[in-house]
Amino acid sequence: MSFDNAYEALIDGHEDAHWAFGTGFSEALAGVDREVPDVDRADLAAYCLMLGDDALVLSQRLAEWCSRAPELEEDVALANIALDLLGQARMLLTRAGEVEGAGRDEDALAYLRDERDFRNVHLAEIECGPFAGGDFATTVARLLVFSSWKVAQYSRLRASADPVLAAVAAKGLKELAYHRDHAAQWVVRLGDGTDESHRRMRAGLERVWPFLAELSTAHAVELRLPGVAVDPAELRSEVDGVLDAVLAAAGLTRPADVPAARVNGLAGRDGVHTEAFGYLLAELQHLHRSLPGAKW
Amino acid sequence: MSASWPLWEVFVRGKRGLNHVHVGSLHAPDAEMALRNARDVYTRRNEGVSIWVVPATAITASSPDEKDPFFEPSGDKVYRHPTFYEIPEDVPHL
Amino acid sequence: MDLEAQFERTVAAEQRVEPRDWMPDGYRKTLIRQIAQHAHSEIIGMQPEGNWISRAPSLRRKAILLAKVQDEAGHGLYLYAATETLGADRAELTEKLISGRQKYSSIFNYPTLSYADVGVIGWLVDGAAICNQVPLCRTSYGPYARAMIRICKEESFHQRQGYELLMTMMAGTDAQRAMVQESVDRWWWPSLMMFGPPDAESSNTEQSMKWRIKRNTNDELRQKFVDMTVPQAEKLGVTLPDPELRWNPERGHHDFGQPDWDEFWQVVGGNGPTNAQRVEHRRKAHEDGEWVRAAAAAHAMKHAAVEEGVA
């Protein structure tokens, strides 16, 4: 670029390849068949929402670290992970709207649904730092569990009969494997580092462990979509294997498997969330809802 | 204890057939984390590029003017390290 | 050969000074101060915009804003690295920032009160920053100049996203247009202050110009910024809140009013709307991260000891 005119960039072409991970996502799925497979559309849309909400809500949580990380390099790394998840969320919500066929786009689904219509697991929404409810150790504990689970899920989803889900999974798998690696690196360092970091890492694992059980509990929608969806019960042993290996390398022991209590037998996939989730949504949605009809 | 991490110099091969080029530096506790940070900070996660990270203290550099008798040879000063000697924007086809 | 004369010749010939070259102490100190202040500005500058990431009104805007704030962390990182080639240390500079001994750009001591501020910061604040920074791509100190080339390229995208957001909002509802104008009204004068006090009152300009650390005077850059911004404002459909602003055909430039320099000195002196909050936020992040940095350092040390034991 020429440095004579600082405003040159305003009239440049409109590609956004500059941004770390891009801000658009249409190219990511370019050429992918968007045909809807021959399954119940409401079920498929609900399944896309489950996956999309997992990614959206954890992205929102991770972005809370922006300008608050322990070192600048880690600020960049956590923002990268949040951006990856946000990109996945946008593709999945877009697909949910497309399959549903009621004209809702990614923003209508992210901003105009009420709490009971969100289908993410509790693990994505709980507070794990930087604010009350956790710290950096809790954040990496959550990230390790979440990304280990997602890696197992997405690696199977690559064979989904829904070509869009398969394509999102193929792209997202590489990202999630990196997130898992990043989290594992930190769990090992914090587990081994100092007495304080070891204590915090144990506390972090204990904080997130109760939410592990929900990850392998199938919802009826998931079971009604064989060949399209992944049965989460299948993922448990793979996830356990990864977690055990990382914990062993970190000199940490596995917390007791005591599942978080359900409310009336229900949890995130059913639209029943933790108290913290209402606040997360209020923040996420308030501006969009304050100016109905505005274009952004 | 001082918790600040050592400085690493980052070299990136933009694509096959090119040399690794110095792109900058960063702080990391160890080599593994330095590599990961370098990927996040300097390569924008372009896949397929190759990254080297070198502890800044491991670089021995010549004085730009070897005849310069006043050049202080103390190796413990960080400013002796050639951070930013080259950046990829100046290199064609990187 | 006289080292100082050689240095002066290098600079006068538009050659770059590199880290291992002899340089006057004053040059080194001035550079460290200026680059550190610039790095601090990038890092503190993450906060006013970061304030809106969780509330961004569309997922696309959220991605853009998060990527932008992330870039600022990267810019701060490149600039701290440039100071480290001069013998400074990031941890020490951070201590100076959070103890108030080093400053950052005063613009970041203003609050972000609406989403239009994200656009206006991109357009005016990043625009002013680009005017300030583009000449620094030819600054005499090599590592600084190279960091600035990288940063300016990214800043131009920042400015573009800001302007594009404002265009979109101006084409939206009445409430959105009012939001943009209200934001421009708040940010215009602080943006003009970004170029520093008038040349007559600026203490550092002359020596810095001679050393080619600085390439233009404050007033020159301010004029350039106003001249570039006026047509952009017209195209956008917003009014710049300066009754004295008009084209002067004799000068070939716009005439414009002076910002409230008393306010400027107040903010520089620590009494801006968010000075204390910004420094406290950075202090807390740094101190909360101490145990993490210590743990990673301890792990690395144990690991190195084990490897040495094996070898």
Side-chain angles (χ1 to χ4, degrees):
Chain A
M1 76 183 248
S2 137
F3 291 110
D4 295 335
N5 182 353
Y7 282 75
E8 175 198 50
L10 289 180
I11 49 168
D12 268 1
H14 282 270
E15 37 73 40
D16 62 2
H18 151 75
W19 303 106
F21 298 95
T23 56
F25 58 90
S26 47
E27 329 79 52
L29 297 185
V32 171
D33 178 11
R34 300 200 75 94
E35 193 79 11
V36 178
D38 187 22
V39 292
D40 185 273
R41 277 183 169 251
D43 279 347
L44 180 55
Y47 186 60
C48 292
L49 283 180
M50 290 174 181
L51 301 175
D53 290 346
D54 287 343
L56 175 65
V57 171
L58 184 56
S59 170
Q60 180 82 358
R61 282 293 184 216
L62 285 173
E64 292 173 350
W65 277 98
C66 193
S67 79
R68 296 182 175 90
E71 189 48 283
L72 297 181
E73 283 80 358
E74 189 59 24
D75 228 312
V76 173
L78 289 176
N80 274 350
I81 295 172
L83 280 165
D84 282 346
L85 291 172
L86 183 52
Q88 293 173 16
R90 294 178 64 193
M91 292 187 277
L92 290 163
L93 294 185
T94 298
R95 181 59 169 172
E98 183 176 82
V99 171
E100 179 191 53
R104 294 201 283 182
D105 63 8
E106 59 177 35
D107 287 335
L109 288 166
Y111 290 94
L112 299 175
R113 272 182 302 152
D114 292 332
E115 182 174 336
R116 290 301 293 265
D117 298 322
F118 274 79
R119 300 299 189 112
N120 54 282
V121 294
H122 288 181
L123 181 70
E125 75 196 39
I126 58 170
E127 288 168 313
C128 289
F131 307 125
D135 57 8
F136 186 71
T138 319
T139 290
V140 297
R142 186 233 308 261
L143 186 61
L144 177 69
V145 172
F146 182 90
S147 51
S148 299
W149 170 57
K150 281 287 165 186
V151 163
Q153 186 186 55
Y154 276 35
S155 63
R156 287 164 178 77
L157 262 185
R158 283 179 300 175
S160 173
D162 179 2
V164 175
L165 280 184
V168 172
K171 177 179 187 293
L173 184 60
K174 292 180 208 152
E175 297 168 345
L176 290 158
Y178 185 75
H179 306 170
R180 184 179 69 175
D181 172 76
H182 187 79
Q185 295 291 336
W186 271 117
V187 170
V188 168
R189 278 162 186 73
L190 298 182
D192 176 64
T194 62
D195 290 346
E196 181 181 8
S197 71
H198 184 82
R199 176 179 60 73
R200 285 176 180 266
M201 198 61 243
R202 270 180 50 185
L205 290 167
E206 278 162 17
R207 162 91 172 121
V208 303
W209 222 256
F211 299 94
L212 200 56
E214 188 187 356
L215 308 184
S216 49
T217 307
H219 185 273
V221 160
E222 290 168 302
L223 299 177
R224 285 200 299 264
L225 292 168
V228 171
V230 174
D231 178 356
E234 279 175 30
L235 310 176
R236 184 68 196 243
S237 63
E238 181 179 330
V239 174
D240 279 345
V242 171
L243 295 178
D244 288 343
V246 175
L247 295 186
L252 293 157
T253 48
R254 191 182 167 97
D257 283 305
V258 180
R262 293 179 157 247
V263 175
N264 221 3
L266 305 172
R269 290 287 191 245
D270 311 295
V272 173
H273 294 278
T274 61
E275 284 185 354
F277 190 55
Y279 292 90
L280 181 149
L281 275 193
E283 199 170 338
L284 181 106
Q285 295 182 335
H286 109 268
L287 176 56
H288 185 96
R289 290 192 184 218
S290 299
L291 292 172
K295 291 272 184 292
W296 300 99
Chain B
M1 73 178 282
S2 162
S4 71
W5 297 336
L7 191 67
W8 301 76
E9 300 298 334
V10 181
F11 300 78
V12 173
R13 183 208 298 284
K15 61 178 187 185
R16 287 178 188 284
L18 296 175
N19 287 323
H20 283 76
V21 173
H22 185 240
V23 294
S25 56
L26 49 74
H27 288 268
D30 53 52
E32 285 293 301
M33 291 303 278
L35 263 185
R36 286 166 174 80
N37 291 343
R39 170 176 178 270
D40 285 333
V41 173
Y42 286 106
T43 72
R44 301 294 189 200
R45 297 185 63 182
N46 282 333
E47 287 182 71
V49 303
S50 160
I51 302 173
W52 291 344
V53 290
V54 182
T57 50
I59 292 178
T60 307
S62 69
S63 169
D65 181 353
E66 297 290 353
K67 298 186 297 285
D68 170 4
F70 292 92
F71 176 68
E72 294 167 34
S74 60
D76 59 343
K77 289 282 190 284
V78 191
Y79 59 80
R80 300 298 179 219
H81 307 307
T83 305
F84 284 112
Y85 265 152
E86 300 205 44
I87 74 160
E89 275 76 12
D90 293 333
V91 181
H93 313 301
L94 187 82
Chain C
M1 184 188 295
D2 181 82
L3 287 170
E4 183 137 17
Q6 191 182 338
F7 171 84
E8 300 285 353
R9 256 199 307 280
T10 303
V11 170
E14 295 283 334
Q15 299 268 313
R16 296 287 170 266
V17 177
E18 294 295 346
R20 295 165 58 85
D21 292 343
W22 183 90
M23 60 187 82
D25 272 352
Y27 177 85
R28 185 186 299 277
K29 282 190 187 128
T30 304
L31 267 175
I32 290 176
R33 196 193 63 228
Q34 180 175 330
I35 303 172
Q37 189 167 322
H38 189 168
H40 298 331
S41 300
E42 296 283 355
I43 299 307
I44 294 288
M46 295 169 73
Q47 294 177 37
E49 290 174 282
N51 183 37
W52 284 93
I53 292 171
S54 65
R55 296 174 289 170
S58 74
L59 297 186
R60 176 170 172 270
R61 291 292 170 201
K62 189 188 289 286
I64 290 172
L65 184 58
L66 181 53
K68 186 193 168 188
V69 177
Q70 181 199 36
D71 271 353
E72 283 157 9
H75 294 175
L77 204 152
Y78 307 155
L79 289 162
Y80 284 126
T83 66
E84 290 181 289
T85 66
L86 290 158
D89 174 71
R90 191 202 291 177
E92 279 173 32
L93 297 176
T94 302
E95 286 298 331
K96 285 184 179 166
L97 169 66
I98 62 183
S99 61
R101 281 176 292 153
Q102 278 186 342
K103 302 219 175 293
Y104 52 89
S105 178
S106 282
I107 193 77
F108 301 120
N109 289 318
Y110 290 87
T112 50
L113 303 176
S114 80
Y115 206 78
D117 289 9
V118 170
V120 169
I121 287 176
W123 176 40
L124 295 181
V125 174
D126 293 338
I130 290 170
C131 284
N132 268 331
Q133 292 171 1
V134 161
L136 293 177
C137 297
R138 292 182 294 124
T139 194
S140 59
Y141 187 58
Y144 190 24
R146 291 191 286 273
M148 288 314 305
I149 289 171
R150 201 175 175 118
I151 290 170
C152 281
K153 286 188 179 182
E154 299 190 346
E155 288 287 349
S156 73
F157 287 92
H158 293 181
Q159 198 203 13
R160 189 170 79 195
Q161 68 80 31
Y163 195 74
E164 191 249 345
L165 169 60
L166 297 179
M167 297 270 274
T168 307
M169 290 182 71
M170 291 302 285
T173 64
D174 287 345
Q176 285 182 294
R177 275 186 287 278
M179 201 184 264
V180 173
Q181 183 63 55
E182 190 273 338
S183 176
V184 170
D185 291 347
R186 275 185 291 114
W187 288 96
W188 174 248
W189 294 112
S191 300
L192 289 189
M193 295 177 196
M194 284 177 71
F195 299 95
D199 294 344
E201 296 167 33
S202 177
S203 50
N204 299 324
T205 297
E206 199 184 329
Q207 181 64 68
S208 290
M209 297 274 284
K210 185 163 162 267
W211 277 338
R212 307 280 206 275
I213 292 174
K214 212 174 151 142
R215 310 288 315 210
N216 301 90
T217 72
N218 296 352
D219 287 334
E220 282 169 16
L221 290 169
R222 193 167 10 249
Q223 179 72 61
K224 191 171 177 174
F225 173 70
V226 171
D227 288 341
M228 290 204 275
T229 306
V230 168
Q232 296 293 331
E234 282 167 10
K235 187 154 182 229
L236 200 54
V238 297
T239 307
L240 299 174
D242 178 1
E244 294 174 51
L245 183 65
R246 63 181 57 81
W247 177 250
N248 181 331
E250 281 160 39
R251 290 203 307 127
H253 292 290
H254 292 85
D255 292 338
F256 56 97
Q258 284 296 305
D260 179 350
W261 291 113
D262 288 340
E263 177 184 313
F264 173 77
W265 290 114
Q266 279 291 314
V267 179
V268 169
N271 296 320
T274 68
N275 295 56
Q277 174 192 332
R278 299 285 186 246
V279 173
E280 170 59 18
H281 179 120
R282 181 70 190 111
R283 189 193 61 71
K284 186 171 189 316
H286 185 68
E287 291 177 2
D288 285 355
E290 174 67 20
W291 70 268
V292 178
R293 297 190 298 274
H299 171 78
M301 224 189 283
K302 288 186 208 175
H303 207 64
V306 168
E307 277 185 4
E308 229 161 73
V310 168

